[in-house]
Every structure is written in C-alpha cells, then in structure tokens.
Amino acid sequence: MATDGYPTAAAFIPPKPTLPRLREAAAGCRGCHLYEGATQTVFGEGLKKSKVMFVGEQPGDREDVEGKPFVGPAGRMLDRALVEAGIDRSEVYVTNVVKHFKYTMRGKRRIHQRPDSEETAACRPWLEAELGQVKPQVLVCLGATAAKALLGPKFKVTQQRGEFVDSELAPLATGTVHPSSILRAPDEEARHRAYHDFVEDLKIVASALD
Ligand code: URA
C-alpha cells in the first residue's frame, strides 16, 4: 500500500521470489527512509516449511548489528519460552513488520523508536512475500505494533492475547505480548508472572500445531 510521501518496498520485491532471493533483494531496500540510519536490513529467518511465523516489531540494536532477528535480549527470552512451551525452533520462522532498526541517539546509545504506520505500510510487501513463501499454519504477532498492523487496529493484545482471530494471512492467527515487555516488568515477581503468561500463550500455539 502506498502512503503519502513514502515510497514502498513493493518495487524491490523480486520476480519469482524465493526466501533466499527475497533476503538478497531486501538487503538493498530503499522503500522508506529507515535504511539510512540502520547498519543493514534484518530479514526474517527460519525454514520455508516452518509451521509457525512469529512477527515482532522491528530489529533492535543487537539485531541491527548481527543482521538477524531476535538475537538480542528479547530473542533470548523468546527462545527460552519456546522451549518451555514445547515449540521446536526448527518449526518457527521469525521476522518483523519493519526490517530496519529505527532509533534515536541518547548520548552514545541508540534508543529504539517505534515505527509509525507509514513505515510499517512501506515495509509490508516484504512480510507479505515472506507469508507467501512460508505459508505458516499459525501466525503469531508479538506486541501491539505487529498485532495492529497484521490483525487490525481493533485487536487488543491485553484482552485477546492467545485468542485466534480470523485473518486472511494464515489459517490461524493470534497475538501476544512482545518478549521485551517481560524484560521491562517493574520487579522480579511481575517479570515471573509476565513470563509465565507468555509461555501459556505459546502453549496454546503449540497445541494448535499438534
Ligand atoms: N524486537 C523485535 O521486535 N524484533 C527483533 O528482532 C528484536 C527485538
């Protein structure tokens, strides 16, 4: 979808896409301005035959440096929760609604900034192309940005987490909290509870896969 003042990634999608071709083309994406400040495009990772696709917001500082999604603290939290929920990592494809790190500088630190709806819309062709290749049985949005972008503005993570909703993007689609919100919990007890609830949501996904 084109949005006023922004180009989109649509022109960068290669003909006859495959995951490797998409990854290669995404590396040169100039579909919005976010490439300017980022180290590199962080494309999704996982096998084409993955049954579940997890979609986060955008790469963080670590992901931007390493060029892989969910390899920083939030990614480690996700990995741990997947193991606990009994979801095999090899059945999982992980990606983000926006493929470049958006940040602002605070001193020497790069502070995450939420992508806006134009940036999300500009990047959407990549996600649609990934969905077209992987065709996951279950789509899981991590956090409000992904949930709103993919499940619609009415989806409320706080109220509907773990609930499957109708979507043309996958046979089963749901959303839950972003693993980084667990890391931001105010104290140990809140963190413990948030992590437990996250694992419970992933267990719902696991049972849908059986
Ligand atoms: N947060 C996200 O939403 N995605 C990542 O890849 C890392 C952190």
Side-chain angles (χ1 to χ4, degrees):
M1 178 178 50
T3 48
D4 285 349
Y6 271 92
T8 92
F12 295 86
I13 305 290
K16 298 198 188 139
T18 59
L19 283 176
R21 273 195 210 138
L22 286 165
R23 169 188 298 282
E24 200 184 325
C29 187
R30 304 288 181 264
C32 79
H33 66 106
L34 290 180
Y35 76 91
E36 291 165 7
T39 308
Q40 57 194 317
T41 305
V42 178
F43 201 66
E45 266 209 348
L47 299 176
K48 186 179 159 90
K49 63 170 195 196
S50 299
K51 293 184 193 156
V52 197
M53 185 183 285
F54 283 91
V55 185
E57 182 190 89
Q58 59 156 348
D61 183 81
R62 203 59 239 151
E63 289 78 14
D64 172 74
V65 172
E66 291 194 29
K68 290 167 185 274
F70 285 100
V71 289
R76 286 196 292 278
M77 178 69 75
L78 174 63
D79 284 349
R80 213 179 109 200
L82 283 172
V83 171
E84 207 154 320
I87 299 177
D88 190 342
R89 195 71 171 76
S90 67
E91 290 187 343
V92 168
Y93 186 93
V94 271
T95 191
N96 286 296
V97 283
V98 167
K99 308 287 196 262
H100 281 111
F101 180 35
K102 180 180 179 183
Y103 60 91
T104 156
M105 293 305 291
R106 194 175 299 155
K108 288 188 181 155
R109 290 185 60 212
R110 303 194 299 174
I111 307 295
H112 160 276
Q113 269 200 311
R114 183 169 295 171
D116 63 30
S117 54
E118 289 182 328
E119 291 150 353
T120 305
C123 210
R124 186 165 177 125
W126 292 119
L127 189 67
E128 288 183 355
E130 290 173 295
L131 281 163
Q133 291 301 306
V134 178
K135 300 187 186 74
Q137 235 177 69
V138 190
L139 170 68
V140 186
C141 299
L142 297 173
T145 304
K148 294 223 175 304
L150 301 179
L151 305 178
K154 290 205 188 115
F155 189 92
K156 298 266 178 294
V157 168
T158 44
Q159 290 157 29
Q160 289 170 279
R161 57 185 297 175
E163 193 181 296
F164 291 114
V165 294
D166 283 341
S167 167
E168 66 216 13
L169 301 176
L172 291 171
T174 188
T176 180
V177 296
H178 194 286
S180 65
S181 68
I182 303 168
L183 296 165
R184 287 197 306 270
D187 54 50
E188 191 56 38
E189 194 191 327
R191 199 157 34 248
H192 190 77
R193 200 172 338 111
Y195 176 73
H196 171 268
D197 293 348
F198 184 56
V199 171
E200 288 303 305
D201 290 343
L202 297 190
K203 283 184 182 167
I204 295 171
V205 172
S207 55
L209 289 172
D210 294 338

